[in-house]
Amino acid sequence: MLRFIARISGIVFGLFLYALGLLLGIEANIGYAPWEVFHVGLSKTTGLSIGTVIILSGLFIVVLVTVLGEKFGLGTILGVVLTGSFIDLIMYFDNRFAIIPKPGNLLTGALMLVAGLFIIAFGIFFYMGAAMGAGPRDNLMVVVARRTRFSVGICRGAVELTVTVVGWLLGGMVGLGTVISVVAIGFCVQITFKLLKFDPTVIKHERLDETFKALFGKKDSQ
């Protein structure tokens, strides 16, 4: 049980870092990050709210990567639910206490965005390291890496570029921050993972049914 609590704590902390990194990119105010370009573009096209689009796109990716052979775990579910919740929570406190600095020019905005990308990479390390299923978008990154044999960083960048183009075609706004994110996210992830000696493609994630069996299954009597 203590090991389970430690793993869940790693997932929650990692998702918090992920949300913080995303929010730093938004507050940098130099353009939407790639997935936000996609979400806004799809929202404009379908008429659905951005929140609904984020939830539905996350669920769609979960189904897709599951069909392609990636495991569906408790961490995947938490990734769909908690990332947006943490963003709302951080924004709530930021609106009242101004905990996130506001960049005064383009350079500080760019530095803030890159810092957010590294924080996102550390977040990925913590919640994927729990081996209870990655978040939907990071699961997609791993699936692409396994099937193409390219590095995780290259695959992450390719995924980000693809959703940016699709989002732009659907009406999402692209700016300098988007370009920086597309170019830098792969490098940030690759550098962080190398420093931490972490390879997400070799992790054997625990399926949801395996987690419940480990927690509530009957143990064999000796």
Side-chain angles (χ1 to χ4, degrees):
M1 180 59 69
L2 289 177
R3 181 172 179 270
F4 174 77
I5 293 174
R7 294 169 74 191
I8 290 294
S9 298
I11 293 172
V12 173
F13 180 62
L15 291 173
F16 175 80
L17 290 179
Y18 196 101
L20 178 60
L22 288 178
L23 194 54
L24 284 176
I26 294 172
E27 293 295 329
N29 199 31
I30 57 175
Y32 290 136
W35 278 104
E36 278 56 57
V37 175
F38 175 75
H39 293 145
V40 172
L42 192 57
S43 175
K44 289 182 177 180
T45 302
T46 62
L48 298 172
S49 71
I50 295 177
T52 301
V53 167
I54 291 174
I55 293 172
L56 292 178
S57 62
L59 291 174
F60 173 78
I61 294 171
V62 167
V63 173
L64 176 62
V65 297
T66 301
V67 170
L68 291 175
E70 198 64 25
K71 294 182 179 180
F72 177 88
L74 180 59
T76 310
I77 297 175
L78 293 176
V80 173
V81 175
L82 290 183
T83 303
S85 300
F86 279 138
I87 288 177
D88 289 341
L89 182 63
I90 296 170
M91 290 182 68
Y92 173 85
F93 282 103
D94 184 49
N95 289 335
R96 283 156 178 75
F97 305 108
I99 58 178
I100 297 178
K102 302 299 184 285
N105 53 56
L106 182 61
L107 177 59
T108 55
L111 292 174
M112 186 170 166
L113 174 62
V114 173
L117 295 178
F118 274 108
I119 292 174
I120 287 172
F122 275 101
I124 295 171
F125 163 75
F126 278 103
Y127 73 72
M128 288 190 71
M132 298 181 75
R137 291 158 187 81
D138 298 301
N139 250 336
L140 182 61
M141 171 188 67
V142 172
V143 167
V144 174
R146 282 178 173 161
R147 288 179 172 265
T148 64
R149 304 294 183 179
F150 289 116
S151 71
V152 172
I154 291 175
C155 292
R156 178 71 186 224
V159 170
E160 300 281 338
L161 178 59
T162 300
V163 297
T164 299
V165 172
V166 173
W168 176 69
L169 292 174
L170 293 175
M173 181 172 55
V174 175
L176 177 60
T178 312
V179 177
I180 294 175
S181 295
V182 171
V183 173
I185 183 62
F187 292 108
C188 293
V189 170
Q190 195 71 16
I191 290 171
T192 301
F193 286 4
K194 280 189 175 182
L195 288 174
L196 298 172
K197 298 181 179 179
F198 177 67
D199 183 358
T201 63
V202 302
I203 293 178
K204 296 181 178 179
H205 285 282
E206 185 176 275
R207 297 193 308 269
L208 188 61
D209 61 311
E210 293 173 333
T211 300
F212 277 98
K213 186 179 295 184
L215 286 174
F216 307 112
K218 295 182 179 179
K219 296 182 180 180
D220 296 331
S221 57
Q222 300 295 328

